[in-house]
Amino acid sequence: GAGVSQSPRYKVAKRGQDVALRCDPISGHVSLFWYQQALGQGPEFLTYFQNEAQLDKSGLPSDRFFAERPEGSVSTLKIQRTQQEDSAVYLCASSLERIGGGSQETQYFGPGTRLLVL
Amino acid sequence: AQTVTQSQPEMSVQEAETVTLSCTYDTSENNYYLFWYKQPPSRQMILVIRQEAYKQQNATENRFSVNFQKAAKSFSLKISDSQLGDTAMYFCAFMTIYGNKLVFGAGTILRVKS
């Protein structure tokens, strides 16, 4: 079916504003990941869901960042009181299943949301 | 913690020629996965090739192949018969066998010239 989709593709926010970024994973994919990609850098892990359970949020940079996946499908990454250092591309990825103790399946990425905080 | 290093910020290659992108990594794990991802200017990340560390045979996908040297912790990508559509940022990535996140290098910009 369709690939991973993300919306909006671009978001400009004023410093202090709250933003919400949406990810629609590939249908049937159990695992969902969020990454942050600063300009000219490789993506960095933020958080991981298996179905609706958030199993790893070790990469979230501060308590202003919050992610949820209430029904085990669509996920939302929320950033409260945005700061200029939050400007980045936010990538969502999904994979089919989690085997044994870890995800052995390939992660498929969405096009990303480019966030600019002024 | 695992780290991935890509020492070539930019590379250029003539169309139809071969180019090799370098990647080294650091880990204390014995079993893990390595990946090369391609990110064209449109920014959609696409998997190019994947290697399981327990497999001695180097992975190959059409024009793309890897040289996996486990003892040296090296994982280079060879692109044969380069095409204009290969122009992109290439990322090397690592994942432990029980892990749930990819650890990426800083990337190499590859430009294929006509």
Side-chain angles (χ1 to χ4, degrees):
Chain A
V4 178
S5 61
Q6 293 185 245
S7 62
R9 292 294 309 278
Y10 302 92
K11 176 69 178 177
V12 178
K14 292 182 179 179
R15 187 162 56 93
Q17 213 174 1
D18 297 349
V19 298
L21 312 180
R22 176 188 170 104
C23 172
D24 280 89
I26 295 172
S27 178
H29 276 199
V30 169
S31 298
L32 186 144
F33 307 82
W34 283 99
Y35 293 85
Q36 181 189 58
Q37 186 177 21
L39 187 64
Q41 299 296 317
E44 292 192 355
F45 171 81
L46 293 176
T47 188
Y48 157 65
F49 289 86
Q50 183 186 5
N51 294 307
E52 70 278 2
Q54 189 176 20
L55 299 186
D56 187 345
K57 53 182 181 179
S58 63
L60 296 176
S62 78
D63 58 8
R64 296 186 296 104
F65 287 71
F66 172 77
E68 60 182 5
R69 193 185 184 199
E71 297 179 358
S73 178
V74 170
S75 177
T76 303
L77 176 67
K78 298 179 179 178
I79 309 173
Q80 297 177 324
R81 305 182 302 281
T82 52
Q83 303 295 315
Q84 287 185 322
E85 61 262 29
D86 300 335
S87 296
V89 174
Y90 290 85
L91 297 171
C92 176
S94 69
S95 65
L96 184 60
E97 63 182 276
R98 183 169 178 261
I99 302 170
S103 175
Q104 299 180 9
E105 293 295 326
T106 296
Q107 294 182 25
Y108 296 90
F109 283 81
T113 294
R114 183 185 294 273
L115 172 65
L116 177 62
V117 181
L118 301 176
Chain B
Q2 291 81 23
T3 58
V4 177
T5 302
Q6 294 180 250
S7 59
Q8 305 154 314
E10 296 187 26
M11 294 278 286
S12 293
V13 64
Q14 286 296 127
E15 200 175 4
E17 294 190 346
T18 295
V19 64
T20 298
L21 308 183
S22 301
C23 173
T24 58
Y25 57 93
D26 188 28
T27 184
S28 57
E29 301 285 334
N30 188 47
N31 290 319
Y32 46 86
Y33 303 97
L34 294 162
F35 306 83
W36 278 98
Y37 278 89
K38 168 185 176 182
Q39 190 175 43
S42 67
R43 302 201 74 87
Q44 185 107 27
M45 193 88 74
I46 304 165
L47 179 69
V48 174
I49 200 165
R50 163 191 169 127
Q51 174 82 42
E52 288 83 4
Y54 57 86
K55 291 185 178 178
Q56 293 187 348
Q57 186 173 6
N58 288 325
T60 299
E61 288 289 339
N62 301 313
R63 298 184 294 107
F64 299 87
S65 61
V66 299
N67 182 6
F68 173 47
Q69 300 290 328
K70 191 173 182 180
K73 295 180 181 174
S74 171
F75 183 62
S76 60
L77 175 69
K78 185 172 82 171
I79 306 174
S80 304
D81 185 26
S82 297
Q83 301 176 359
L84 295 177
D86 295 334
T87 292
M89 176 81 96
Y90 286 80
F91 291 100
C92 179
F94 171 100
M95 185 170 71
T96 62
I97 198 165
Y98 292 114
N100 53 38
K101 60 187 175 186
L102 291 164
V103 177
F104 288 87
T108 296
I109 299 172
L110 175 66
R111 295 188 176 87
V112 181
K113 300 178 178 178
S114 59

